[in-house]
Amino acid sequence: EVQVLESGGGLVQPGGSLRLSCGASGFTFNNCAMSWVRQAPGMGLEWVSGISGSGSSTYYADSVKGRFTISRDNSKDTLYLQMNSLRAEDTAVYYCARDISMIVVRAFDIWGQGTMVTVSS
Amino acid sequence: DIVMTQTPLSLSVTPGQPASISCKSSQSLLYSDGKTYLYWYLQKTGQPPQLLIYEVSNRFSGVPDRFSGSGSGTDFTLKISRVEPEDVGVYYCMQSIQLRPTFGGGTKVEIK
């Protein structure tokens, strides 16, 4: 079965750091670009970051650029999101999503169930 | 960034009746490769979004043919020919002509 599964969410204080992971199975991981998309409580969807299949190209929303780092380990079929200098407004469910493209960020056909990140003192 | 504006915010539909959602972008979504990078998703309560339509009018695998997408440039529409109870949820349009996708605010579809 094709699936992705996020982990690593939790409660963190403002200014703190958290690393999210997303394990993939059922497909050739390095053939697919991947993204993180978040959803604040009761709000809409916000794309956060994307990475090409090889990992050589990365993309960020302005709201997280300079604070978040996306990476992947194709030998482990795993996607990561390192989140630093967290703010209250980063509180959201973070979804890992598979892209229909190998190279660029286009659209997302497989989504995980999400992991909740709460930034609060 | 490209701003995506959806209308209406919510829609209450009788089963078997049609529904239509509009999505307008602040810039043309037609790319130099001839493709238009406009997508539609449905998020059911408590679930992640699911891809319905890609590149304006192409139904994704497994999507019922009562769903159809149309439009060009900056104006797009998602139509449900006959709404079923399982179609309830929030519908989002999304652009990815720029390598930083943006979503519309969402349209909540309910059953009367």
Side-chain angles (χ1 to χ4, degrees):
Chain A
E1 183 186 0
V2 176
Q3 61 181 2
V4 295
L5 181 65
E6 307 91 341
S7 61
L11 175 64
V12 61
Q13 292 187 339
S17 298
L18 210 55
R19 188 199 202 198
L20 305 183
S21 299
C22 171
S25 59
F27 63 97
T28 304
F29 185 63
N30 61 9
N31 278 355
C32 299
M34 299 290 295
S35 277
W36 291 96
V37 178
R38 69 185 179 184
Q39 187 169 36
M43 302 296 284
L45 301 168
E46 179 188 17
W47 174 82
V48 172
S49 182
I51 187 168
S52 61
S54 67
S56 60
S57 297
T58 58
Y59 312 91
Y60 297 94
D62 286 344
S63 58
V64 306
K65 197 166 187 178
R67 300 187 298 123
F68 291 11
T69 302
I70 191 171
S71 62
R72 63 193 298 161
D73 185 337
N74 286 344
S75 69
K76 295 182 178 178
D77 291 348
T78 302
L79 175 72
Y80 302 100
L81 186 67
Q82 177 67 43
M83 304 186 294
N84 298 331
S85 302
L86 282 162
R87 306 166 180 167
E89 53 264 37
D90 295 318
T91 294
V93 173
Y94 284 73
Y95 293 103
C96 166
R98 185 183 81 167
D99 208 296
I100 59 175
S101 166
M102 181 187 298
I103 302 173
V104 298
V105 181
R106 277 293 175 239
F108 319 117
D109 63 342
I110 301 294
W111 298 65
Q113 290 300 310
T115 187
M116 183 71 201
V117 172
T118 302
V119 184
S120 175
S121 54
Chain B
D1 287 351
I2 295 176
V3 176
M4 306 296 289
T5 303
Q6 283 182 239
T7 55
L9 288 179
S10 64
L11 208 48
S12 185
V13 187
T14 301
Q17 293 300 302
S20 181
I21 299 170
S22 172
C23 175
K24 296 183 187 297
S25 58
S26 60
Q27 301 175 36
S28 175
L29 302 184
L30 174 63
Y31 192 55
S32 55
D33 61 3
K35 295 182 179 180
T36 300
Y37 290 104
L38 186 280
Y39 304 83
W40 290 97
Y41 295 87
L42 164 61
Q43 185 176 30
K44 299 181 180 181
T45 301
Q47 296 185 23
Q50 56 190 85
L51 180 62
L52 295 177
I53 302 287
Y54 65 96
E55 293 168 18
V56 179
S57 59
N58 300 285
R59 277 187 301 276
F60 188 62
S61 174
V63 175
D65 61 7
R66 62 179 181 273
F67 290 93
S68 64
S70 62
S72 63
T74 60
D75 289 357
F76 305 94
T77 302
L78 176 71
K79 292 183 179 177
I80 311 173
S81 59
R82 297 172 305 279
V83 173
E84 301 284 343
E86 60 264 31
D87 299 336
V88 300
V90 181
Y91 290 77
Y92 295 94
C93 60
M94 184 197 84
Q95 69 77 24
S96 61
I97 188 172
Q98 296 177 345
L99 297 180
R100 296 188 299 185
T102 50
F103 292 89
T107 295
K108 186 173 185 177
V109 172
E110 300 174 322
I111 295 293
K112 280 184 182 176

